[in-house]
């Protein structure tokens, strides 16, 4: 028996010393890594589903491409890892020690343990995971310091992904507050392209941690190979694209935590798990890439990703800080009469000592401002319930105003340098709490805990964050660990959110950061939805929602109907267009409903009722983009959602400006069953019982997809003031929503 074991052991050892190719496959893609004990691992392939021999025979396997290059070994290549040892040595040679494969439900993971040759107490684990049900692979790394002395991680990327292409097009999102997630598509040129963020808390305010690459010189919706990726991290991120497209037909991508000013001291016997980079590969264009990410988000990442979201009224744009009983109560009643399902009190309700009348005070003091709500929030909750709606409330728990009781008690709980005046945020007196301080962690948890303990029937919280990390010193961390701040702050936030979710798994929490400045997959396990933007001008919103939906699914994007004249652009947009834009995502309103005219109110009521009927398709369906507001003459936008069975679809089409001769586009639909027949119904027409001509028609899926539809009503314009009324106050901004239902 003993002898047999010995022989078996020998076979395993011989086998392990040989190069082995590990293929991880999803339904339509494959990733291949080659690992040999004692040598650096190599990256062979990420592309269409294939077996190793086919990939090698086609010549598409990369050769000599290290899977995780580190500084000190082959530094003419970009490196994903840079580690400074306790003795100052910063050269590393990682070699494979062990490879393990494991299966957990739909996820197969390959873990490659690397060890440094010169300092064997340093190990790095490379994790690659593939899903069997979706075209998603994930990568991350774990840095393990087995020594007793601290080491410093100077670059510690989550993923290194070589991509083969000789003509690569990059899609990324950039923006600013009220102008988030602009879609940018540009050719990658030879050289290095970096996309990163360093804003610390509002990490997505300028650049988003997501990208797509079109690999054959284009980024079509349906017909081209695409790699898309997104980083699951609530802190600063860093993407590098090293392009040698002409010389070697390659883009070397790496992504992870931004190493800028973030040298991370890793104490002895400690490890750091880096965030996951999630990728999808498809040959079916950027449309399929988006759908793959959306499906994964809804199924695996977003909290309550498959649950329906309610239609709500948020008080912010209606009354701003004027959250008095007198203002709020009528809003509750009026919104209930429109068919609303939830009422949310935004900023302004708190501050027992310093009532929150503007952005200059009160953050940190989460008791009611009696001057506005003399009887507390209870009567408002009761009134909301009486009208059959749920209740929600706004907080900004990571912040403090200098003018607050909290700051008077704990001036050392903030991020700032001890020796100079901090930079103040919004209102001139706002500071970010130092989440690395455990007392602050308890406090932030306590803000939510107290609110929900005192009012267990609060259904929804809007969690805002209106300041970037402009002050980058912690009064809690020792001087020698200040450069751990960005990472430790993010890990502390994660710890607080986990604690909240352990106690309150159900409460719906919307994440907001001056709008969509925190749009990132890292927040998804803790927040059911995100406020897409403070920009409620419906035209501007089309661009923002279109951009965001490249990566983020519609059900997590809150979209509210604002007033006719946009607060931010003064553009006048009719109510139907505003509703149709907000109805592409999670619908809400943000205005004083009593200010609507009677016709507008009647329309709003119809639109909300109609949204409820299309909601399952909009919130859970697959997105197909048909006409881009970023391309062509930019005068039309069209997109559609199709449910899983392909029996129902909803098509949204918008005409932006009016021209004497508006060129009507042919809208070719996608994602339907070619052999099925669909009945068309107009959803919430501008005037009741006056639908467009397509209403009621039955058309085959084949015809709808191959030849498409035209909606001539969208080019109609009205000549006299008599025809222009409060529903249609301008000839610009027309929209039509069509529901398709399979006729059996
Ligand atoms: C910024 C948010 O984006 C707004 O929606 C609103 O909640 C304000 N903060 C309140 O101060």
């Amino acid at each position: 028996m003993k002898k047999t074991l010995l022989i078996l052991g020998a076979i395993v050892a011989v086998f392990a010393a040989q190069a082995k190719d590990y293929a991880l496959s999803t339904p339509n893609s494959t990733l291949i890594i080659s690992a040999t004990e004692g040598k650096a691992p190599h990256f062979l392939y990420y592309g269409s589903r294939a077996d190793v021999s086919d990939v090698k025979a086609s010549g598409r396997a990369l050769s000599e491409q290290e899977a995780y290059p580190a500084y000190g070994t082959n530094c003419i290549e970009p490196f994903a890892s840079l580690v400074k040892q306790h003795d100052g040595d910063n050269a590393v040679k990682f070699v494979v020690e062990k490879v393990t494969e494991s299966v957990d439900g739909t996820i197969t993971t390959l873990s490659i343990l690397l060890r440094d040759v010169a300092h064997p107490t340093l190990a790095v684990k490379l994790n690659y995971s593939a899903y069997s049900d979706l075209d998603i692979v994930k990568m991350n790394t774990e840095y393990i310091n087995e020594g007793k002395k601290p080491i410093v991680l100077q670059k510690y990327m989550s993923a290194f992904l070589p991509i083969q292409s000789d003509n690569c097009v990059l899609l990324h999102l950039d923006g600013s507050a009220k102008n988030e997630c602009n879609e940018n598509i540009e050719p990658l040129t030879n050289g290095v392209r970096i996309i990163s963020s360093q804003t610390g808390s509002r990490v997505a305010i300028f650049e988003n941690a997501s990208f797509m690459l079109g690999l054959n010189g284009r980024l079509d919706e349906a017909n081209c190979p695409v790699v898309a990726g997104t980083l699951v991290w609530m802190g600063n991120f860093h993407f590098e694209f090293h392009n040698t497209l002409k010389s070697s037909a390659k883009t070397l991508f790496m992504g992870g935590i931004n190493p800028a000013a973030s040298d991370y001291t890793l104490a002895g016997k400690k490890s750091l798990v880096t965030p996951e980079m999630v990728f999808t590969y498809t040959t079916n264009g950027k449309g399929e890439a988006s759908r793959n990410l959306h499906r994964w988000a809804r199924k695996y990442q977003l909290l309550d990703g498959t649950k329906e979201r309610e239609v709500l009224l948020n008080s912010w744009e209606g009354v701003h800080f004027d959250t008095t009983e007198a203002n709020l109560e009528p809003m509750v009643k009026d919104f209930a009469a429109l068919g609303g399902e939830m009422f949310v009190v935004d900023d302004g309700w708190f501050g027992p000592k310093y009532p929150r009348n503007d952005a200059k005070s009160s953050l940190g003091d989460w008791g009611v401002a009696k001057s506005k709500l003399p009887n507390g929030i209870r009567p408002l909750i009761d009134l909301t319930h009486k009208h059959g709606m749920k209740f929600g409330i706004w907080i900004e728990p990571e912040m403090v105003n200098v003018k607050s009781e909290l700051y008077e008690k704990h001036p050392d709980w903030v991020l700032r340098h001890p020796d100079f005046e901090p930079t103040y945020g919004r209102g001139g007196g706002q500071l970010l709490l130092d989440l690395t301080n455990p007392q602050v962690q308890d406090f932030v948890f306590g803000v939510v805990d107290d609110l929900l303990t005192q009012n267990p029937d609060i259904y929804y919280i809007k969690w805002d964050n209106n300041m970037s990390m402009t002050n980058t010193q912690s009064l809690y961390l020792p001087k020698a660990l200040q450069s751990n701040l960005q990472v430790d702050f993010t890990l502390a936030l994660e710890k607080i959110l986990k604690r909240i979710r352990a106690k309150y798994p159900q409460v719906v929490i919307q994440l907001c950061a001056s709008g969509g400045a925190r749009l990132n997959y890292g927040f998804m396990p803790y927040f059911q939805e995100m406020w897409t933007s403070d920009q409620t001008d419906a035209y501007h919103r089309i661009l923002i929602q279109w951009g965001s939906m490249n990566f983020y699914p519609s059900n997590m994007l809150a979209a509210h109907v604002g007033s006719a004249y946009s607060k931010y652009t003064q553009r006048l947009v009719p109510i139907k267009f505003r509703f149709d834009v907000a109805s592409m995502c999670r619908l809400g309103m943000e205005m004083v409903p009593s200010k609507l005219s009677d016709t507008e109110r009647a329309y709003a009521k119809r639109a909300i009722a109609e949204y409820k009927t299309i909601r399952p398709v909009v919130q859970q369906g697959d997105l197909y983009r048909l006409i881009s507001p970023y391309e062509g003459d930019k005068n039309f936008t069209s997109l559609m959602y199709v449910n899983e069975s392909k029996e129902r679809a909803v098509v949204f089409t918008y005409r932006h400006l009016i021209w004497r001769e508006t060129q009507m586009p042919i809208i070719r639909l996608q994602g339907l069953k070619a052999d099925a027949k669909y009945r068309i119904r107009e959803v919430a027409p501008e005037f009741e019982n006056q639908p467009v001509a397509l209403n009621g028609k039955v058309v085959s899926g084949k015809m709808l997809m191959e030849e498409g539809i035209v909606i001539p009503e969208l080019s109609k314009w009205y000549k006299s003031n008599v025809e222009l009324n409060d529903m249609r106050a301008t000839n610009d901004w027309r929209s039509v929503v069509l529901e398709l239902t399979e006729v059996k």
Side-chain angles (χ1 to χ4, degrees), residues 345-375:
V345 179
D346 207 280
D347 199 350
W349 62 271
F350 55 95
K353 181 169 170 190
Y354 306 109
R356 172 84 164 170
N357 294 323
D358 52 35
K360 294 194 177 94
S361 73
S362 327
L363 293 174
D365 301 347
W366 299 104
V368 166
K370 292 271 180 187
S371 52
K372 300 186 199 184
L373 301 169
N375 306 305

Side-chain angles (χ1 to χ4, degrees), residues 35-39 41 94-100 110-116 120 122-128 142-144 146:
T36 311
E37 215 178 272
K39 298 222 163 103
F94 284 130
V95 295
V96 175
E97 178 172 296
K98 193 167 116 196
V99 180
T100 45
L110 174 72
S111 291
I112 305 177
L113 186 69
L114 307 179
R115 194 167 291 283
D116 179 28
L122 168 64
V124 171
K125 202 189 267 179
L126 311 180
N127 298 312
Y128 300 89
E142 181 177 354
Y143 280 76
I144 308 157
E146 292 174 3

